[in-house]
Amino acid sequence: MSEELLVNVTPRETRVAVVENGMLQELHTERGSQRGVVGNIYKGKVQRVMPGMQAAFVDIGLDRAAFLHANDVYRAPLEATEEGIEAPPSPVPITELLRDGAEVVVQVVKDPIGSKGARLTTEISIPSRYMVLLPRTKVVGVSARIEDEAERTRLREQVAGLANGKGHGYIVRTNAEGQPAEALAEDVAYLGRVWALIEKASAEAAVGSCVYEDLSLPLRAVRDLIRRDVDRVKVDSRETCEHLREFAARYMPALADKIEHYSGARPIFDMYGVEDEIQRALDKEVPLKSGGYLVIDQTEAMTTVDVNTGSFLGQRNLEETVYRTNLEAAQAVARQLRLRNLGGIIIIDFIDMFDLEHRRQVLRTLEKSLAKDHAKTTVYDFSPLGLVEMTRKRTVESLERRLCEPCHECGGRGMVRTAETVTYEIFREIVRAVRQFDAASLLVIASPKVVARITEEESNAVAELEEFLGKSIRFQSDAQYLQEQFDVVLL
């Protein structure tokens, strides 16, 4: 199996695509105006303790107060038991842990989603290439994805030796498999320096300020996504490529050679068909090769997936036709969950099957297809109604909610791409048109809202684009154009 990471960098937006065997599996986006806060550490102030909810609302300087549950407040473990194992702390009321006006150092574990504020914890964790630092604990754990027992034992013993006397705990990440002791020691030293800086900044920072910010998207992608089975990382920005190579040479020298600059004439996402896949990932219907299809509906409470046979007639009998369709659908569902970044409660309505072995095989296929998902997933057996219930950990908004907004024309019943998203599509189309055709200047016709955004908020980007292309670009608004519609005219 071949796997590649594609990094597309523009002045206002960075995107990272995970492509396996030529198929887009994941898409990560980061915009200057909407950078996520997961992993960031803040010095906050408790606004209000809510005993009835066993939680508190904390001001960390964001637009909305963040949410901190009692279970996410750090408490020192009890004394060691007779077996020598630290006993977990017993539940404590939130009123005994926090008080109104108290200052607290917290980490964001979930971005603000919809009308909800960010989710917080005081149990800080700092990731590096091979490990995750757990300050104030002494636990040494190994990722469950490392299955070789001898390797697990080696890593646990080496990290425990490195951690001895430091007073911190560590979780060994999947990427550490096969790494020498020197690489692990470098990570421990790096994490120690980071934590020392965080402690110093926390003591001196004002309330509502960020004391630690996670890496930018390209660096996070190299840190978290590049593995031995990744063939290459292609970056369409020479400056970003050099930055990633320097980062990789410092922290993962064995993988640094996999990072290369993409200098092709066609945009990198066009070359690999990623743009088309993104557009299809915003559709409700997902066609299957057999002729069947999925219908995916994302709601506030949950996501539902309906499986239909469509035009697939099969060759034997109805049960066999249904079974084949459900097997294909199980693989497609797993891919769509990763691609669309769907989280929370997910209900899958497979076509009814009466053969119990067929049901087991479909569940097994779904679980196997989810094995490569970085998000934690839990799949339950078929319910009495024939539905499969599952959960997928959600930390950021889904792809649809990051790229789209409720439609103004239909009162929120549908979704349209935001003016910002259309703006970047226009910029990419301009570059594509200039590279394909010769023209002295260009005229872009779009909806008034999109044109207003380009001429007001993106004027600097337009000037940079004109200088880069050596062409003049004019924008004309037309009230007849819907928000997603635009035309690039060569003059």
Side-chain angles (χ1 to χ4, degrees):
M1 183 187 73
S2 65
E3 182 173 343
E4 295 177 298
L5 299 184
L6 310 178
V7 183
N8 170 231
V9 181
T10 59
R12 299 295 189 272
E13 181 184 49
T14 300
R15 302 181 296 173
V16 175
V18 179
V19 178
E20 296 175 4
N21 294 327
M23 294 282 288
L24 176 65
Q25 300 293 333
E26 295 179 29
L27 179 72
H28 305 270
T29 65
E30 183 175 87
R31 293 170 176 173
S33 60
Q34 298 177 348
R35 186 168 180 180
V37 294
V38 171
N40 290 1
I41 299 175
Y42 294 85
K43 186 172 185 179
K45 183 176 183 179
V46 178
Q47 284 187 334
R48 189 179 179 188
V49 175
M50 309 286 288
M53 299 174 61
Q54 276 294 85
F57 288 101
V58 182
D59 177 18
I60 58 173
L62 302 181
D63 294 338
R64 292 191 297 271
F67 182 83
L68 175 62
H69 194 271
N71 291 341
D72 296 319
V73 178
Y74 172 77
R75 284 161 281 160
L78 301 177
E79 295 295 325
T81 62
E82 293 181 0
E83 291 79 13
I85 301 173
E86 291 182 336
S90 56
V92 178
I94 189 71
T95 51
E96 296 183 22
L97 299 171
L98 298 172
R99 57 179 175 79
D100 290 354
E103 295 182 1
V104 58
V105 177
V106 291
Q107 185 171 36
V108 178
V109 294
K110 183 182 290 187
D111 270 332
I113 296 177
S115 59
K116 299 177 182 177
R119 181 76 180 257
L120 305 175
T121 182
T122 63
E123 298 178 338
I124 308 297
S125 62
I126 312 296
S128 67
R129 172 60 184 165
Y130 302 121
M131 280 179 284
V132 178
L133 171 68
L134 305 175
R136 298 179 298 209
T137 74
K138 297 180 180 179
V139 176
V140 175
V142 180
S143 168
R145 295 184 183 232
I146 300 178
E147 298 178 354
D148 185 271
E149 197 57 43
E151 178 66 2
R152 292 176 62 85
T153 301
R154 180 189 76 87
L155 290 170
R156 184 180 287 108
E157 290 176 350
Q158 288 188 348
V159 174
L162 294 169
N164 187 30
K166 291 184 169 56
H168 301 317
Y170 298 88
I171 294 176
V172 182
R173 305 181 69 178
T174 309
N175 291 332
E177 187 171 11
Q179 294 301 319
E182 294 78 11
L184 303 179
E186 288 176 2
D187 260 29
V188 169
Y190 165 75
L191 290 170
R193 292 193 297 271
V194 172
W195 178 241
L197 292 172
I198 291 173
E199 285 190 304
K200 181 180 179 182
S202 300
E204 301 172 352
V207 170
S209 58
C210 179
V211 298
Y212 169 81
E213 189 172 14
D214 204 1
L215 299 173
S216 63
L217 176 59
L219 293 177
R220 289 202 312 273
V222 169
R223 182 190 70 191
D224 299 336
L225 301 178
I226 185 173
R227 300 179 298 275
R228 282 187 172 81
D229 53 356
V230 173
D231 296 321
R232 62 183 66 84
V233 179
K234 292 190 174 183
V235 190
D236 65 1
S237 164
R238 190 174 297 278
E239 181 181 355
T240 303
C241 182
E242 291 302 319
H243 193 30
L244 294 182
R245 282 174 178 163
E246 292 172 5
F247 179 84
R250 182 176 180 184
Y251 295 108
M252 55 199 82
L255 303 177
D257 290 340
K258 294 187 176 185
I259 301 173
E260 58 187 58
H261 177 242
Y262 173 80
S263 57
R266 291 183 65 191
I268 187 170
F269 275 21
D270 284 4
M271 185 70 180
Y272 284 81
V274 173
E275 294 289 6
D276 293 337
E277 288 290 339
I278 295 173
Q279 299 304 319
R280 284 194 285 269
L282 300 176
D283 295 336
K284 287 180 61 173
E285 287 195 9
V286 179
L288 303 177
K289 290 182 179 178
S290 64
Y293 63 95
L294 311 178
V295 178
I296 302 176
D297 276 306
Q298 185 181 355
T299 69
E300 190 70 23
M302 67 183 71
T303 297
T304 62
V305 182
D306 186 30
V307 182
N308 298 278
T309 55
S311 60
F312 182 46
L313 302 177
Q315 310 224 339
R316 298 183 184 175
N317 53 51
L318 178 60
E319 178 70 17
E320 188 69 20
T321 300
V322 167
Y323 173 55
R324 295 295 176 190
T325 303
N326 283 340
L327 279 180
E328 185 184 4
Q331 299 176 57
V333 167
R335 174 176 177 258
Q336 291 298 320
L337 296 184
R338 287 178 66 188
L339 176 56
R340 299 172 186 240
N341 198 21
L342 297 171
I345 299 171
I346 299 161
I347 308 294
I348 308 171
D349 184 11
F350 287 108
I351 308 167
D352 290 339
M353 293 175 291
F354 300 101
D355 190 316
L356 294 180
E357 180 58 27
H358 284 175
R359 287 189 171 199
R360 282 192 289 270
Q361 289 295 337
V362 169
L363 270 182
R364 209 169 289 137
T365 299
L366 177 61
E367 291 169 347
K368 183 180 178 181
S369 301
L370 288 168
K372 288 186 67 66
D373 196 339
H374 299 287
K376 181 181 178 181
T377 58
T378 305
V379 181
Y380 299 92
D381 205 347
F382 279 88
S383 73
L385 294 177
L387 306 174
V388 172
E389 301 172 8
M390 64 169 289
T391 60
R392 183 174 186 270
K393 187 175 180 180
R394 173 170 57 189
T395 57
V396 297
E397 291 273 26
S398 68
L399 179 67
E400 180 184 67
R401 291 183 176 170
R402 286 179 72 87
L403 300 186
C404 304
E405 65 183 7
C407 176
H408 308 292
E409 298 297 324
C410 65
R413 293 187 299 274
M415 301 290 289
V416 296
R417 290 192 288 279
T418 64
E420 185 179 22
T421 299
V422 177
T423 296
Y424 298 133
E425 288 182 354
I426 289 173
F427 289 169
R428 290 193 289 271
E429 183 61 31
I430 289 172
V431 173
R432 189 178 296 118
V434 169
R435 287 177 174 174
Q436 288 183 339
F437 307 100
D438 188 22
S441 61
L442 298 96
L443 171 66
V444 177
I445 307 172
S447 69
K449 183 176 179 181
V450 172
V451 172
R453 190 186 193 286
I454 293 174
T455 55
E456 294 171 10
E457 300 180 34
E458 302 288 351
S459 57
N460 290 337
V462 173
E464 292 172 6
L465 191 59
E466 287 180 326
E467 183 178 355
F468 173 72
L469 297 175
K471 313 286 184 184
S472 64
I473 307 171
R474 292 191 299 113
F475 296 88
Q476 177 180 314
S477 64
D478 189 330
Q480 300 298 317
Y481 278 62
L482 299 178
Q483 185 161 302
E484 295 185 346
Q485 294 178 319
F486 64 85
D487 284 308
V488 176
V489 181
L490 304 174
L491 302 176

